């Protein structure tokens, strides 16, 4: 697959590159739109989540300067911003652009047929990014920089069913490779996401488009 120079990156694409550390191949996956970027590192042999960082970025020359909203390694490195200079190593892996593409934030749940909404402006957030058939969710706190989990992989939508296949999961590496099917409906800016979690617990989540 051909390398894609950073100058050709357009809104809403997915990239990957690999590095070698201690004889272990590490995959770096980048999901980004015109303003937001998430990079996650993981291995596939064995399956192991390593770290994830993300936030709003701006381009300066050949650099990407990212003001982080989350950093899973914050307790170790205290980083709240990063500069990315190696975009010439990135390979574009974007697939199809599907329904639901965009940045979403958890807005509540439905329990006993009642919507229970949460304040989406509070520091403790869970966001979900869907770009070109890839997804990732991240739970974090912007005030304390505490990290509460992340998972991601590939998604597909067919005949009204939304399916996620897990490629990495910070809470349980053993879940890598499984696929989960969900019902989904869109109501205005909301996405209702109904099915069973990776722990086989029933869920009915409400996500709303993130506008900031």
């Amino acid at each position: 697959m051909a390398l894609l120079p950073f100058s050709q990156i357009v809104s809403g694409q997915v990239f990957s590159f690999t590095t070698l550390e201690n004889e272990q191949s590490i995959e770096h996956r980048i999901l980004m739109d015109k303003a937001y970027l998430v990079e996650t590192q993981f291995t596939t042999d064995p399956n192991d989540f390593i770290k994830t960082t993300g936030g709003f970025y701006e381009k300066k020359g050949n650099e990407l300067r990212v003001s982080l909203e989350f950093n899973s390694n914050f307790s170790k490195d205290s980083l709240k911003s990063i500069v990315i200079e190696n975009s010439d190593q990135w390979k574009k892996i974007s697939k199809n652009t599907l329904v639901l593409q965009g940045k979403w934030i958890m807005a509540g749940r439905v329990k006993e047929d009642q919507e229970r909404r949460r304040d989406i402006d509070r520091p403790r957030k869970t966001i979900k990014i869907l770009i070109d058939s890839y997804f990732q969710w991240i739970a974090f706190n912007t005030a304390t920089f505490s990290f509460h989990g992340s998972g991601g992989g590939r998604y597909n939508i067919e005949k009204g069913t939304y399916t996620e296949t897990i490629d990495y999961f910070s809470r349980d590496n053993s879940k890598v490779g499984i696929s989960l099917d969900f019902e989904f409906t869109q109501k205005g800016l909301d996405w209702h996401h109904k099915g069973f979690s990776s722990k086989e617990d029933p869920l009915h989540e409400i996500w709303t488009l993130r506008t900031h």
Side-chain angles (χ1 to χ4, degrees), residues 11 21 46 51 73 90 93 95 122 129 131 137 147 186:
S11 175
E21 295 183 21
K51 65 179 289 189
N73 270 16
W90 296 2
I93 59 172
K95 298 182 180 180
R122 67 180 186 172
I129 300 172
I131 296 179
W137 63 266
F147 171 75
Q186 290 180 275

Side-chain angles (χ1 to χ4, degrees), residues 36 38 52-55 68-72 127 138 140 145 147:
Y36 204 86
V38 177
T52 187
T53 56
L68 297 177
E69 280 200 306
F70 61 87
N71 172 6
S72 63
I127 64 171
I138 314 100
F140 57 94
F145 253 73
F147 171 75

Side-chain angles (χ1 to χ4, degrees), residues 15-166:
F15 300 88
S16 178
F17 68 94
T18 59
T19 55
L20 191 66
E21 295 183 21
N22 299 319
E23 300 184 350
Q24 175 69 61
S25 179
I26 298 173
E27 180 170 347
H28 301 244
R29 184 173 295 171
I30 299 101
L31 282 69
M32 64 187 300
D33 63 14
K34 63 182 180 180
Y36 204 86
L37 179 152
V38 177
E39 179 187 356
T40 301
Q41 299 178 26
F42 61 99
T43 64
T44 57
D45 185 20
N47 296 318
D48 188 27
F49 172 90
I50 298 174
K51 65 179 289 189
T52 187
T53 56
F56 295 94
Y57 74 90
E58 60 179 352
K59 183 186 175 188
K60 294 290 186 180
N62 292 322
E63 297 180 342
L64 290 173
R65 298 182 181 181
V66 189
S67 178
L68 297 177
E69 280 200 306
F70 61 87
N71 172 6
S72 63
N73 270 16
F74 183 75
S75 63
K76 298 178 181 178
D77 60 29
S78 301
L79 291 177
K80 292 187 177 182
S81 63
I82 56 174
V83 176
I84 297 173
E85 300 176 318
N86 66 339
S87 61
D88 60 335
Q89 299 179 31
W90 296 2
K91 294 180 181 180
K92 180 183 174 184
I93 59 172
S94 290
K95 298 182 180 180
N96 296 328
T97 299
L98 301 172
V99 176
L100 301 177
Q101 173 142 326
K103 295 193 298 292
W104 301 83
I105 186 166
M106 173 75 78
R109 298 178 184 273
V110 175
K111 295 185 178 180
E112 299 177 351
D113 295 323
Q114 297 292 319
E115 289 191 7
R116 301 183 182 181
R117 313 286 295 204
R118 63 173 63 169
D119 178 7
I120 61 174
D121 292 319
R122 67 180 186 172
R124 175 68 166 85
K125 306 177 188 297
T126 301
I127 64 171
K128 195 166 195 171
I129 300 172
L130 279 67
I131 296 179
D132 290 356
S133 300
Y134 291 87
F135 80 94
Q136 184 171 346
W137 63 266
I138 314 100
F140 57 94
N141 189 308
T142 56
T144 65
F145 253 73
S146 56
F147 171 75
H148 300 278
S150 184
R154 292 149 288 148
Y155 82 98
N156 189 38
I157 294 176
E158 187 173 358
K159 296 180 179 179
T161 299
Y162 168 95
T163 302
E164 292 182 346
T165 300
I166 299 173

Side-chain angles (χ1 to χ4, degrees), residues 171-200:
R171 296 174 179 170
D172 187 350
N173 291 313
S174 71
K175 301 298 184 182
V176 171
I178 69 171
S179 294
L180 302 170
D181 293 334
F182 301 92
E183 299 174 23
F184 78 94
T185 55
Q186 290 180 275
K187 300 180 180 180
L189 296 179
D190 289 345
W191 157 30
H192 282 245
H193 180 73
K194 185 178 181 180
F196 293 86
S197 72
S198 60
K199 293 182 178 180
E200 300 184 355

